[in-house]
Amino acid sequence: MASRIAYIPREEPPKRRPAKRGNYLAWLHSLPCVVTGRNDVQAAHVSFAAPWHGHYGRARGTKAPDRFALPVCASEHARQHNMSESAFWDSVGINPHELANTLFGIWSDYDEQEATSRATSRILSGLADAGRLPSRDLA
């Protein structure tokens, strides 16, 4: 007997935009850059859609929801804006929607001190796996 795969209709984007979360963006600024590990980051919003991860892109004239922002140093943030955004994230080997959801979940689940420690560990582990962990000798 052949099995059938149920058809699941495409999910529609939400009717209202999510609320801005200034305290989340402020917390992101305490984390290292997800690309280089440097400090002094900016909140880089991921603009391209990925409905599987709950991101429907951005409306005309608006930023993407804060939940889809990542801590990125100024030079990498500028590079992100100077090329195709999906090509930028592919070039650094990061799934930005997955990482953004992970960081937002950590921020939501723990108090600020523990969230900062866990998120920093996750970012540095990702950099180590990619062979981009900054050397302590350069500090």
Side-chain angles (χ1 to χ4, degrees):
M1 175 167 120
S3 61
R4 291 187 92 170
I5 298 175
Y7 170 73
I8 300 173
R10 276 187 92 173
E11 193 174 332
E12 292 295 319
K15 302 291 184 223
R16 287 189 319 160
R17 302 300 296 165
K20 295 309 250 173
R21 297 175 182 257
N23 52 347
Y24 177 66
L25 295 181
W27 175 75
L28 280 181
H29 286 91
S30 70
L31 302 176
C33 173
V34 298
V35 178
T36 65
R38 289 188 233 146
N39 293 318
D40 195 27
V41 299
Q42 301 171 348
H45 287 79
V46 180
S47 298
F48 66 99
W52 177 259
H53 294 285
H55 189 300
Y56 300 94
R58 57 189 179 101
R60 187 182 318 227
T62 64
K63 285 193 176 207
D66 289 342
R67 125 180 247 128
F68 292 103
L70 291 168
V72 178
C73 67
S75 61
E76 293 297 324
H77 195 186
R79 198 164 75 89
Q80 174 202 14
H81 285 292
N82 288 329
M83 62 189 294
S84 158
E85 189 178 358
S86 59
F88 168 79
W89 291 110
D90 285 344
S91 75
V92 296
I94 293 174
N95 178 328
H97 298 96
E98 188 175 287
L99 182 55
N101 274 329
T102 299
L103 295 180
F104 189 81
I106 290 170
W107 177 77
S108 299
D109 290 347
Y110 300 99
D111 65 41
E112 187 172 342
Q113 184 178 2
E114 186 169 359
T116 301
S117 175
R118 288 178 178 269
T120 298
S121 177
R122 168 56 184 88
I123 291 167
L124 295 178
S125 293
L127 290 169
D129 287 348
R132 291 193 316 267
L133 191 63
S135 170
R136 290 184 179 190
D137 298 334
L138 301 176

